[in-house]
Amino acid sequence: MVRERRAARDGRRAREFEAFVAGAGGRLLHAATLLTGEPTGDTEAAERLLTAALARTYARWDRLRGEDPYDHTRRTLAALFAHRGHRYRRPRGGTLARLTPQERLVLVLRLYEGVAEEQTAAALGLPVERVRAICTRAVTAMRSAAARRGTTGTRPSAGTRSSAGTSSSAGTPPSTGAADSRAATGATGPEAETDAGAEAGADAEAGAGAAS
């Protein structure tokens, strides 16, 4: 009888977790890819990082008790990346590859994920002013790089706009293989997300208020 109850509980937890990954896995993988600085089509390191974060979320699933599993996984992902950031210093050709690991982490939390300055600072153990300065520096670097590409690249024809990037990865960590409804209704691609975030970030930097 005890064994049957345990099996039923484990089955329920597995189904709930699979449903969570199906809905959020793609967006989390997208965030992990921005963190590792990999191009969209080569996300091996991001998948390993996300799988480790998801494993920790699954281990605590029954103890979340109403806590948003997405927020928990995002915090775990950020903590793992902060601890392993030295592994991702070498440029890999991704959208944020030109930034330092710390700059990528702040930019992804603040602008891609929309985490408030105070929460970002608390998660990273940094003063709010430091988070703001890092975000400003990262956005400036991305805008400078975009300006250089615009100067040296092929100009789009009149009345058109060049593509902002590829669509968001709809994949999930290798162990799940589930589609991502959250990403399908939200993200439009790493560069598009970063460009949109840069515009929002300019107001946050200048106003020193940011989102709460």
Side-chain angles (χ1 to χ4, degrees):
M1 193 69 176
V2 173
R3 184 178 300 176
E4 291 177 357
R5 286 200 298 267
R6 182 178 301 170
R9 184 178 65 247
D10 290 346
R12 173 186 53 79
R13 178 174 59 181
R15 289 190 298 273
E16 291 175 352
F17 182 75
E18 288 171 3
F20 161 66
V21 175
R27 183 174 178 85
L28 286 165
L29 178 59
H30 189 179
T33 303
L34 291 174
L35 288 174
T36 58
E38 295 171 295
T40 303
D42 182 14
T43 61
E44 182 179 351
E47 289 173 4
R48 288 198 302 268
L49 186 67
L50 178 56
T51 298
L54 286 171
R56 296 191 182 192
T57 297
Y58 184 72
R60 288 186 54 85
W61 192 260
D62 290 335
R63 289 174 285 172
L64 292 179
R65 296 182 180 177
E67 180 183 355
D68 185 352
Y70 185 89
D71 290 342
H72 182 275
T73 307
R74 180 180 61 202
R75 288 196 304 271
T76 303
L77 183 67
L80 287 172
F81 180 78
H83 181 69
R84 305 174 182 181
H86 62 281
R87 303 181 186 180
Y88 309 108
R89 292 185 178 278
R90 182 175 57 85
R92 296 167 180 248
T95 303
L96 304 185
R98 63 183 57 85
L99 303 179
T100 68
Q102 187 182 57
E103 288 171 343
R104 277 181 244 151
L105 181 53
V106 169
L107 203 65
V108 168
L109 289 177
R110 287 287 295 117
L111 304 185
Y112 178 69
E113 288 293 332
V115 180
E117 277 185 345
E118 293 80 4
Q119 290 177 285
T120 299
L124 303 184
L126 297 172
V128 172
E129 294 77 11
R130 177 65 176 158
V131 168
R132 188 176 303 135
I134 293 170
C135 190
T136 299
R137 185 172 68 238
V139 169
T140 299
M142 294 298 294
R143 284 179 170 167
S144 296
R148 287 195 297 272
R149 288 197 302 269
T151 300
T152 60
T154 303
R155 297 178 62 87
S157 59
T160 64
R161 183 176 180 180
S162 59
S163 174
T166 59
S167 62
S168 172
S169 170
T172 59
S175 61
T176 63
D180 173 33
S181 60
R182 185 167 184 161
T185 59
T188 56
E191 292 194 15
E193 291 287 354
T194 303
D195 290 344
E199 294 300 324
D203 294 335
E205 301 149 20
S212 58

